[in-house]
Amino acid sequence: MKIKDIDISILKILFEDSRTAYAEIARDLDLSRAVVTNKVNAMCEDKVINNFTIDLNYENIGQEIHVMLEIETSPQENTEIRDTIFKLRNVERIFTTSESKLFVFAYFPSMQSLNTVIQEEINQIKGIIKIKTNIVLEKRKKIPF
């Protein structure tokens, strides 16, 4: 599916708030509600839109520390390590690179809980070569159009 300018405009609105009513999007873009509905449905069918989701404010639920762990793994055990780490309660997402590295985004209520998870859970996983801990100071995201 080739993304058209109108699709991008709809995506930008939904990216900011996926609960935005189609009628409101139609009004903002000077389109009919049916056109917006059809466009969104088509983007869902074509897997341009995978999910309508929420963006949590982790600080407001007691998860003050946001980290990005860069974990170098043994290539043979990368997938198993990824799956094990992804099951940890504090992990939000994981990216795997071609260099047998995992970039793990996680939230913790305190530095002590972060240290405990690293020392008592992650460090105990066979095949991990090195862990680099990066404290995230600011998080921004945007739609890449």
Side-chain angles (χ1 to χ4, degrees), residues 72-140:
E72 187 176 339
T73 70
S74 157
Q76 299 82 5
E77 296 163 310
N78 185 278
T79 301
E80 185 178 330
I81 293 168
R82 181 204 61 210
D83 293 345
T84 300
I85 291 174
F86 193 67
K87 292 176 187 173
L88 295 176
R89 180 177 182 267
N90 303 79
V91 172
E92 178 192 46
R93 63 182 63 195
I94 295 181
F95 296 93
T96 305
T97 73
S98 60
E99 298 175 342
S100 297
K101 287 187 181 179
L102 303 173
F103 288 88
V104 179
F105 291 84
Y107 293 86
F108 297 88
S110 66
M111 291 300 287
Q112 181 180 349
S113 65
L114 165 61
N115 188 50
T116 299
V117 168
I118 290 173
Q119 295 303 321
E120 295 178 9
E121 297 186 52
I122 296 175
N123 273 343
Q124 305 308 313
I125 300 170
K126 181 179 175 263
I128 290 180
I129 297 167
K130 181 167 75 172
I131 300 173
K132 182 177 178 182
T133 304
N134 300 284
I135 303 297
V136 175
L137 302 176
E138 181 182 8
K139 180 174 131 180
R140 300 174 89 190

Side-chain angles (χ1 to χ4, degrees), residues 3-145:
I3 296 290
K4 298 176 182 160
D5 288 344
I6 194 64
D7 299 322
I8 292 171
S9 296
I10 293 168
L11 287 171
K12 284 180 178 180
I13 292 170
L14 290 173
F15 189 80
E16 288 300 316
D17 183 358
S18 64
R19 290 178 28 176
T20 304
Y22 294 171
E24 184 179 336
I25 295 171
R27 215 175 17 259
D28 289 350
L29 299 178
D30 198 27
L31 299 169
S32 73
R33 185 176 174 276
V35 166
V36 171
T37 301
N38 290 339
K39 292 278 191 186
V40 171
N41 289 342
M43 287 188 282
C44 289
E45 287 174 17
D46 291 338
K47 302 293 185 203
V48 172
I49 297 173
N50 290 322
N51 294 301
F52 291 88
T53 186
I54 60 172
D55 184 14
L56 291 176
N57 183 330
Y58 287 92
E59 290 81 15
N60 286 347
I61 58 172
Q63 303 296 310
E64 301 290 328
I65 309 297
H66 181 195
V67 298
M68 180 186 70
L69 302 172
E70 181 180 337
I71 302 175
E72 187 176 339
T73 70
S74 157
Q76 299 82 5
E77 296 163 310
N78 185 278
T79 301
E80 185 178 330
I81 293 168
R82 181 204 61 210
D83 293 345
T84 300
I85 291 174
F86 193 67
K87 292 176 187 173
L88 295 176
R89 180 177 182 267
N90 303 79
V91 172
E92 178 192 46
R93 63 182 63 195
I94 295 181
F95 296 93
T96 305
T97 73
S98 60
E99 298 175 342
S100 297
K101 287 187 181 179
L102 303 173
F103 288 88
V104 179
F105 291 84
Y107 293 86
F108 297 88
S110 66
M111 291 300 287
Q112 181 180 349
S113 65
L114 165 61
N115 188 50
T116 299
V117 168
I118 290 173
Q119 295 303 321
E120 295 178 9
E121 297 186 52
I122 296 175
N123 273 343
Q124 305 308 313
I125 300 170
K126 181 179 175 263
I128 290 180
I129 297 167
K130 181 167 75 172
I131 300 173
K132 182 177 178 182
T133 304
N134 300 284
I135 303 297
V136 175
L137 302 176
E138 181 182 8
K139 180 174 131 180
R140 300 174 89 190
K141 69 177 187 174
K142 68 176 185 70
I143 193 165
F145 299 113

